[in-house]
């Protein structure tokens, strides 16, 4: 739904998008492009959370001489920025394949744009591997990383507004600090942080989605700035908040699960380490 609302034509609001997708593509339409993100989400999340955690530990080591020392706000912010940069390198190709698969049958109504020799309304790619290989062959590495600039502008501030609110909410819910928060605290803090992060990241998420969808049947945008200017001229400021409801609704449960898994995994590993080295 998010991609269709942000980069598609004629969907209107979220409910209209749901009904249109269901009428035209049945239930299968809601799962287009799912396999590639599903196969890579474990690696992606492990790298992002691992980079964030280890950067925090490194900063605490240099600042306090103790990697286990609770990080200050500046350390959390810097670790978030590093995690945001790293996430772009892994996430851009995955998002591109997902969006291309979701958007490849969408109609294009701009008559003044020169279309590629493919026919809008018919699949261009047979699956995620074929999509990745086709983009790599036709557009090179630059094609695989189309939209990386917009994703960088989305993820660097987005992860700051992901990890910093999580740390704050954990400390607020647990007055004794966030050293060992309860599962319910993690769930609430993670969900709230995810909703905040995705809502504020929506404008650049719209730009990224449009850039990555661009190129299936046409080439409309020259870059991030051109996409922003064209979108604003054609549809006004409201275009940058397309899909914000979907992002907010999705952000809470996914982030709750992500942080809960992260914290419980850390606790399990620390417990095993203590048992191994009494």
């Amino acid at each position: 739904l998010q991609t269709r609302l942000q980069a598609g034509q004629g969907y209107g609001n979220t409910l209209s998008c749901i009904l249109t997708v269901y009428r035209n593509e049945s239930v299968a339409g809601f799962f287009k492009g799912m396999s590639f993100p599903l196969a890579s989400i474990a690696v992606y999340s492990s790298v992002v959370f691992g980079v964030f955690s280890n950067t925090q530990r490194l900063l605490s080591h240099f600042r306090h001489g103790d990697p286990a020392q609770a990080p200050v706000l500046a350390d959390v912010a810097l670790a978030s920025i590093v995690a945001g940069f790293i996430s772009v390198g892994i996430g851009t190709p995955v998002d591109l394949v997902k969006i291309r698969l979701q958007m490849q049958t969408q109609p294009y109504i701009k008559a003044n744009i020169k279309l590629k020799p493919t026919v809008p309304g018919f699949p261009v790619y047979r699956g995620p591997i074929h999509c990745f290989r086709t983009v790599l062959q036709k557009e090179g590495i630059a094609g695989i990383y189309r939209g990386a600039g917009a994703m960088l502008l989305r993820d660097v501030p987005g992860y700051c507004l992901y990890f910093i609110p999580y740390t704050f909410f954990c400390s607020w819910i647990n007055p004794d600090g966030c050293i060992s928060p309860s599962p319910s605290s993690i769930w609430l803090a993670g969900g709230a942080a995810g909703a905040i992060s995705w809502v504020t990241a929506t404008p650049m998420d719209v730009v990224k989605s449009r850039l990555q969808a661009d190129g299936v049947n046409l080439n409309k945008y020259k870059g991030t700035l051109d996409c922003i200017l064209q979108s604003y001229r054609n549809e006004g400021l409201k275009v940058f908040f397309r899909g914000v409801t979907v992002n907010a609704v999705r952000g809470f449960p996914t982030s709750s699960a992500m942080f809960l898994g992260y914290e419980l995994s850390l606790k399990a590993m620390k417990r095993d380490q203590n048992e191994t080295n009494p």
Side-chain angles (χ1 to χ4, degrees):
L1 297 178
Q2 169 204 11
T3 303
R4 304 289 181 97
L5 287 167
Q6 292 177 344
Q9 296 284 354
Y11 287 110
N13 55 35
T14 304
L15 180 59
S16 172
C17 183
I18 293 172
L19 296 175
T20 302
V21 171
Y22 180 75
R23 280 197 300 264
N24 295 340
E25 305 170 53
S26 74
V27 176
F30 296 105
F31 295 92
K32 276 189 175 180
M34 183 185 70
S35 58
F36 211 45
L38 191 63
S40 60
I41 187 63
V43 174
Y44 176 83
S45 299
S46 297
V47 170
V48 169
F49 277 84
V51 167
F52 172 75
S53 178
N54 284 293
T55 303
Q56 275 192 328
R57 288 174 61 83
L58 184 64
L59 292 170
S60 293
H61 174 73
F62 282 119
R63 187 184 295 273
H64 307 289
D66 180 11
Q69 180 74 27
V72 297
L73 181 63
D75 293 348
V76 177
L78 185 54
S80 302
I81 291 170
V82 174
F85 271 97
I86 297 299
S87 73
V88 173
I90 303 171
T92 303
V94 175
D95 270 17
L96 181 125
V97 170
K98 178 194 73 173
I99 287 173
R100 288 289 180 93
L101 289 172
Q102 290 173 343
M103 297 298 296
Q104 64 176 329
T105 57
Q106 298 303 292
Y108 291 92
I109 61 175
K110 297 286 186 181
N112 60 337
I113 296 173
K114 184 179 179 181
L115 292 176
K116 291 183 177 182
T118 52
V119 180
F122 291 89
V124 180
Y125 311 111
R126 294 191 295 270
I129 302 301
H130 179 252
C131 177
F132 184 88
R133 188 170 61 243
T134 301
V135 174
L136 188 61
Q137 288 173 348
K138 292 184 177 180
E139 304 174 46
I141 296 295
I144 290 295
Y145 280 90
R146 182 190 289 264
M151 192 168 182
L152 196 65
L153 293 173
R154 183 197 74 172
D155 282 5
V156 171
Y159 275 114
C160 286
L161 292 171
Y162 189 59
F163 289 113
I164 292 175
Y166 172 73
T167 304
F168 170 77
F169 286 132
C170 262
S171 300
W172 181 62
I173 295 171
N174 290 280
D176 295 331
C178 196
I179 302 301
S180 183
S182 65
S184 61
S185 299
I186 297 168
W187 188 86
L188 287 171
I196 291 170
S197 176
W198 271 110
V199 167
T200 54
T202 297
M204 288 313 302
D205 192 43
V206 171
V207 176
K208 181 199 71 73
S209 295
R210 291 187 164 209
L211 285 168
Q212 292 184 324
D214 192 40
V216 178
N217 293 299
L218 54 86
N219 285 302
K220 183 178 178 182
Y221 306 114
K222 298 175 183 177
T224 302
L225 181 59
D226 183 52
C227 180
I228 293 171
L229 293 175
Q230 283 198 49
S231 298
Y232 177 73
R233 281 197 300 263
N234 295 333
E235 301 170 67
L237 192 62
K238 64 180 181 180
V239 68
F240 299 109
F241 296 93
R242 280 191 177 185
V244 67
T245 303
V246 175
N247 278 342
V249 171
R250 181 189 68 171
F252 193 99
T254 55
S255 297
S256 294
M258 201 79 73
F259 276 110
L260 189 60
Y262 167 69
E263 294 287 3
L264 293 179
S265 297
L266 284 181
K267 286 183 181 180
M269 286 187 286
K270 287 177 182 178
R271 185 171 59 249
D272 290 343
Q273 188 176 22
N274 292 334
E275 290 175 356
T276 306
N277 302 303

